[in-house]
Amino acid sequence: MKKLITLTLLVAVVFSGVAQSIDLKPENFDFKEGSVEFLNYKGRQSMKIAPNANPIEIKNLNFKNGTIEYDMEPITGGFSSSVYFHRQDDKEQEIVYLRVFKMNDKLANEAIQYAPYIDGVNMWDMLPQYQAASEIKPDWNHIKLVISGKRMKVYCNKKEVLNIPELEGRMAEGKIAFDGNSYISNLIVKPNATEGLHPEALPDLTDHQSNFIRNWAMTSPMLLPKGTDITTDNLPDNGLFEKSISAERMGLINLTKVYGKSTERRVIWLKAVVESSIAKSVELELGFSDELWVFLNNKMVYVDKNLYMQDMKKYPRGRISTENGSVRLNLKEGKNEITMAVANDFYGWGIIARLKTVDDLLSIEKFTPIAEVSIENIKQYLGTYTTKDMPIKISITETEGKLIAQATNQEPLDFKYIGNHVFVNEKENIKLTFNMAESKVILTEGGNDYSFLKK
């Protein structure tokens, strides 16, 4: 009974906002048997966290804003030492961790990392801007997190090492926990002690840049079995682009946030439209996780992979960045469709697409499928059309109210009616324009017009 009263008083003091050490004793934590040892280490009350332990949570404490600070000594051979906050469970939480295997590398940019967990996915590879160099000692290191609303500052050995402009987790409060092969001592939690840190997120400095393709039409995810590649035959019908997605900070299209963890290899298709005042070539800078296929006006122009576990990591070390790759797009005058297939089965899922220049461009916008118009009299278009310019004829027929066109020695294609005697096949980028007075049809393909007369 005495221990219960002591713990209740401790939690009450913590929630009052007064700095209070948390006794490193078993009764104050939730943990899996064998994952932690409470002991005296180097004259300090400490807890020793075992390798591969589940997170060890402080009991009866719901943390929102304030300060978390403690001392940590890494154990040789460990990968990292982590503190979690705003933790709901293994799926939704935020983490700061030191990659202690970088202990002897003072310039390693990935020595310390902040990341949210989204549906159980640690988003470390999607947010490389939230990692930094930090001098980690083999002895005690003092770690401090100051959290205020959407902001956080992290200190290691009294030096500010991370200044997070916007916390990216989906939860604003929750538990505090620790893991990683290390010793922890001098644990202090100060609710609401935010040291004057303003709670509002800082602006995204890329917001003013028009170069990013920020808005996309999107399909639902589809399974893509391992070993299967994408070709032009896989291009989805435009009617499947029923959803939309917009970029987050730094132009990131965050597919994990929409569709959660991939337990199997999945692919999503994205489509946007770039309109140019002239025909020109422009470089498209690309960040992607994990696999990417790019099509311009339904022609494949780029394929690449950023596979961390298969040692096919793109710079920088498998993280998403517009330095992952690039492709030169030969834009035509007018509207150009950019279609991307993005596959994933490991950690974060998404893309960043940035045009190196926007000179001579008129617009960058989400793809919108052309609306289909009902046909009042489809029979007026049916028949066989020929031309003197080439030994090809086009047969126009009807199937279940759809106009079907088949050229000599070609597969039949169905066309959507968009009004004013115009039909389109968006996948093949072909247009049929009928002139009823002259009994002819103009076939537009690849930027060229071909005239056919009805027999």
Side-chain angles (χ1 to χ4, degrees):
M1 187 67 180
K2 183 177 179 182
K3 287 183 179 179
L4 176 62
I5 293 171
T6 302
L7 178 59
T8 304
L9 287 173
L10 170 61
V11 173
V13 171
V14 168
F15 274 103
S16 73
V18 177
Q20 176 68 44
S21 297
I22 294 179
D23 276 348
L24 299 178
K25 295 180 178 180
E27 57 266 31
N28 291 339
F29 294 86
D30 284 319
F31 56 92
K32 195 172 184 178
E33 190 67 31
S35 63
V36 62
E37 180 183 356
F38 296 89
L39 72 169
N40 187 291
Y41 176 70
K42 291 186 175 180
R44 301 181 179 203
Q45 185 185 17
S46 305
M47 61 180 182
K48 180 184 180 183
I49 303 174
N52 304 314
N54 289 341
I56 296 143
E57 300 174 348
I58 302 175
K59 277 186 179 178
N60 303 320
L61 195 157
N62 185 60
F63 178 84
K64 186 173 184 179
N65 297 311
T67 300
I68 304 165
E69 57 184 313
Y70 60 97
D71 293 332
M72 180 279 296
E73 181 176 315
I75 295 175
T76 302
F79 173 79
S80 67
S81 177
S82 309
V83 55
Y84 300 85
F85 61 97
H86 297 165
R87 172 178 163 86
Q88 304 298 308
D89 49 35
D90 288 342
K91 288 191 171 185
E92 299 292 334
Q93 57 190 342
E94 297 179 81
I95 184 174
V96 171
Y97 58 102
L98 282 81
R99 293 183 174 95
V100 295
F101 67 94
K102 293 289 183 181
M103 190 157 45
N104 297 318
D105 188 351
K106 296 179 181 179
L107 299 180
N109 282 329
E110 65 270 30
I112 190 165
Q113 171 99 49
Y114 157 74
Y117 275 67
I118 304 295
D119 190 38
V121 179
N122 180 341
M123 301 293 284
W124 65 274
D125 58 337
M126 305 294 284
L127 302 168
Q129 66 270 27
Y130 297 153
Q131 60 184 22
S134 181
E135 188 171 350
I136 308 167
K137 300 183 295 185
D139 203 340
W140 291 112
N141 297 269
H142 187 70
I143 310 300
K144 182 169 83 167
L145 282 62
V146 180
I147 298 159
S148 177
K150 297 298 292 183
R151 295 287 314 287
M152 177 174 69
K153 289 187 176 183
V154 180
Y155 300 83
C156 180
N157 297 322
K158 299 185 179 181
K159 180 181 178 181
E160 182 184 305
V161 289
L162 286 173
N163 188 337
I164 305 301
E166 182 174 14
L167 292 173
E168 307 252 7
R170 296 197 284 204
M171 302 298 167
E173 58 186 274
K175 302 170 187 175
I176 295 171
F178 302 86
D179 73 8
N181 195 15
S182 58
Y183 293 94
I184 302 292
S185 71
N186 293 338
L187 173 57
I188 300 173
V189 178
K190 308 175 191 174
N192 303 316
T194 58
E195 300 187 358
L197 183 62
H198 201 283
E200 292 184 9
L202 294 179
D204 174 8
L205 296 181
T206 69
D207 269 350
H208 66 282
Q209 296 180 17
S210 62
N211 304 58
F212 288 91
I213 304 179
R214 299 182 185 275
N215 299 297
W216 297 81
M218 177 175 63
T219 68
S220 296
M222 310 168 192
L223 288 179
L224 186 65
K226 288 185 182 294
T228 304
D229 208 351
I230 293 289
T231 71
T232 52
D233 292 338
N234 302 114
L235 282 164
D237 292 334
N238 285 338
L240 294 177
F241 289 92
E242 299 176 325
K243 305 175 186 294
S244 299
I245 190 168
S246 296
E248 300 181 357
R249 297 180 73 94
M250 307 288 289
L252 173 64
I253 300 297
N254 190 339
L255 297 172
T256 300
K257 190 168 284 187
V258 180
Y259 288 113
K261 185 176 184 177
S262 292
T263 56
E264 299 178 80
R265 187 172 178 237
R266 297 187 293 173
V267 64
I268 277 178
W269 292 82
L270 303 168
K271 184 172 281 196
V273 177
V274 174
E275 186 175 6
S276 179
S277 62
I278 59 171
K280 68 170 299 177
S281 178
V282 60
E283 186 176 353
L284 179 64
E285 300 170 325
L286 294 163
F288 51 94
S289 181
D290 301 313
E291 303 172 79
L292 180 67
W293 297 260
V294 180
F295 300 80
L296 176 64
N297 298 323
N298 293 333
K299 294 182 179 179
M300 186 182 287
V301 294
Y302 184 83
V303 180
D304 210 344
K305 300 177 188 294
N306 189 8
L307 302 174
Y308 188 88
M309 292 301 290
Q310 297 181 43
D311 203 23
M312 195 174 177
K313 301 185 284 284
K314 306 295 288 186
Y315 179 86
R317 295 179 185 266
R319 282 83 167 161
I320 195 170
S321 163
T322 52
E323 295 179 85
N324 291 159
S326 66
V327 58
R328 187 155 290 278
L329 302 178
N330 294 316
L331 302 178
K332 65 183 181 181
E333 180 182 349
K335 293 189 175 182
N336 297 264
E337 292 181 3
I338 298 174
T339 309
M340 296 189 183
V342 191
N344 167 266
D345 63 358
F346 175 79
Y347 283 94
W349 189 6
I351 65 154
I352 306 171
R354 183 182 183 275
L355 294 159
K356 199 158 189 178
T357 176
V358 292
D359 294 345
D360 304 311
L361 301 187
L362 301 175
S363 64
I364 304 171
E365 56 193 24
K366 175 180 74 72
F367 168 77
T368 302
I370 299 172
E372 188 165 11
V373 177
S374 60
I375 309 172
E376 291 185 3
N377 179 16
I378 194 171
K379 295 188 183 301
Q380 63 184 315
Y381 306 111
L382 308 184
T384 301
Y385 295 77
T386 61
T387 176
K388 296 178 181 179
D389 299 329
M390 59 187 79
I392 292 175
K393 65 180 180 180
I394 299 175
S395 176
I396 306 292
T397 58
E398 172 200 359
T399 300
E400 297 180 350
K402 281 279 189 182
L403 187 138
I404 308 297
Q406 184 174 15
T408 304
N409 299 324
Q410 300 294 318
E411 293 293 321
L413 298 173
D414 62 276
F415 284 77
K416 177 194 297 184
Y417 184 55
I418 61 173
N420 296 321
H421 304 296
V422 178
F423 293 78
V424 296
N425 182 296
E426 295 176 274
K427 185 173 181 179
E428 301 296 335
N429 197 23
I430 300 173
K431 181 171 69 172
L432 299 175
T433 305
F434 289 88
N435 185 325
M436 307 312 298
E438 299 181 14
S439 298
K440 71 177 181 180
V441 62
I442 306 297
L443 183 152
T444 304
E445 183 177 12
N448 297 311
D449 291 337
Y450 307 96
S451 180
F452 291 78
L453 288 173
K454 190 174 184 178
K455 290 179 65 176

